[in-house]
Amino acid sequence: MTIEDVARRYAVAVSPTLLALVDPADPNDPIARQFLPSLEELITLPQERADPIGDHAHSPVPGIVHRHPDRVLFKVVAACPVYCRFCFRREMIGPGQANALSSADFEAALTYIAAHAEIWEVILTGGDPFILSPRRIAEITTRLANIAHVKVVRWHTRVPVTDPGRVTDDLVAALQAPGATTFVAVHANHPREFSPEARCAIARLAEGAIPLVSQSVLLKGVNDDVETLAALMRAFVENRIKPYYLHHPDLAPGTSHFRNRIEDGLALMRDLRARLSGLAMPTYMLDIPGGFGKVPLESGNVEKTAQGHRIRDARGVWHSVQA
């Protein structure tokens, strides 16, 4: 097995911004671990799944995932400027995939959203939608804001830290349109990702009146100690980003080397809560395998079992989880 075998199976791309953050003298560098391919990715466990959170089962039309009544995911693009080695959609994005919706599928997705009055929020994801041109982003924002029942448009992106030069004044302006409120969720997993260039890109969003929230993944060997997690959450707040979700890693193929046990994550959260202002605390979340939705793990929704855990979804149904 070679790194070329990994690259043949999973997309590989690393931006110059990220490469500049890697310490070549550190074999366990947390930036390198997130973005540089590893032979460990060729190890697939029986419980791992090509579609770990059940996107396909909740996709009524191409590009739409409607798992929760009042919101949908709108997957407008299936490419990224970089490819995280732990990505839960790694089987669906990158070279060889249909990297953008066809015109017909794009229109069908908007028609679906317009036809479902219960949809209050649309979450733009992919891939990374910030790789689109400002013109295309403006079109999407405007089309969504013109649907009367869509009140919130949320963009999920890694670009401000991975390719900050893309966050131009034109892009920021494209994110807003009358009729809906725009949010941007910024994904970062280590405090070193907040380079001077990243801080400038994030400031451009904040100063453009875009509310910002965070997304992070709890990753073994990257941020699974309380000092690093605390520094990460403080870095979010210092950059005007409200800590939102800290995700337990999904059961994507070839990602077991990134996953801690749920009980270890819960212990970390207890330590984190003892150190941080409430303003800096994220919610520790699990997306139940199979498409049953997210649940907060610091709650009565979790019970330890001999095989792993029982997790209760929003409908009150319990699921056995090995995670």
Side-chain angles (χ1 to χ4, degrees), residues 66 107-119 147 149-150:
H66 196 175
E107 294 299 330
L110 286 171
T111 298
Y112 179 88
I113 294 168
H116 288 262
E118 73 274 20
I119 296 173
I147 299 173
H149 53 266
V150 173

Side-chain angles (χ1 to χ4, degrees), residues 16-50:
T17 298
L18 290 173
L19 282 176
L21 299 177
V22 172
D23 180 358
D26 181 3
N28 300 310
D29 181 82
I31 307 299
R33 184 167 172 80
Q34 290 184 73
F35 299 105
L36 299 184
S38 161
L39 293 179
E40 293 173 296
E41 296 177 55
L42 297 176
I43 301 169
T44 301
L45 302 185
Q47 66 267 34
E48 292 177 339
R49 309 175 180 208

Side-chain angles (χ1 to χ4, degrees), residues 176-309:
Q176 301 191 70
T181 298
T182 295
F183 277 74
V184 170
V186 178
H187 180 169
N189 296 315
H190 194 276
R192 272 178 37 213
E193 292 176 46
F194 290 89
S195 65
E197 296 82 5
R199 290 174 184 268
C200 287
I202 293 164
R204 192 168 289 120
L205 289 163
E207 288 159 15
I210 306 290
L212 304 173
V213 297
S214 80
Q215 298 273 325
S216 301
V217 184
L218 181 60
L219 299 169
K220 184 183 290 185
V222 173
N223 59 17
D224 62 330
D225 63 90
V226 70
E227 291 81 10
T228 301
L229 269 184
L232 173 63
M233 296 305 152
R234 287 176 177 142
F236 279 128
V237 174
E238 290 163 10
N239 284 276
R240 292 176 278 184
I241 300 170
K242 175 64 182 83
Y244 180 42
Y245 279 171
L246 175 66
H247 296 275
H248 191 80
D250 297 307
L251 293 172
T255 63
S256 61
H257 53 294
F258 285 112
R259 288 195 298 273
N260 289 283
R261 300 177 306 167
I262 287 175
E263 53 263 42
D264 295 331
L266 290 170
L268 270 172
M269 291 301 292
R270 288 192 293 271
D271 290 345
L272 197 63
R273 199 170 294 280
R275 292 176 181 233
L276 287 184
S277 158
L279 183 63
M281 281 299 300
T283 302
Y284 183 34
M285 300 295 287
L286 174 74
D287 218 320
I288 301 173
F292 300 102
K294 293 183 179 68
V295 294
L297 288 170
E298 290 186 291
S299 67
N301 296 312
V302 181
E303 292 182 356
K304 186 80 174 73
T305 67
Q307 293 75 35
H309 291 82

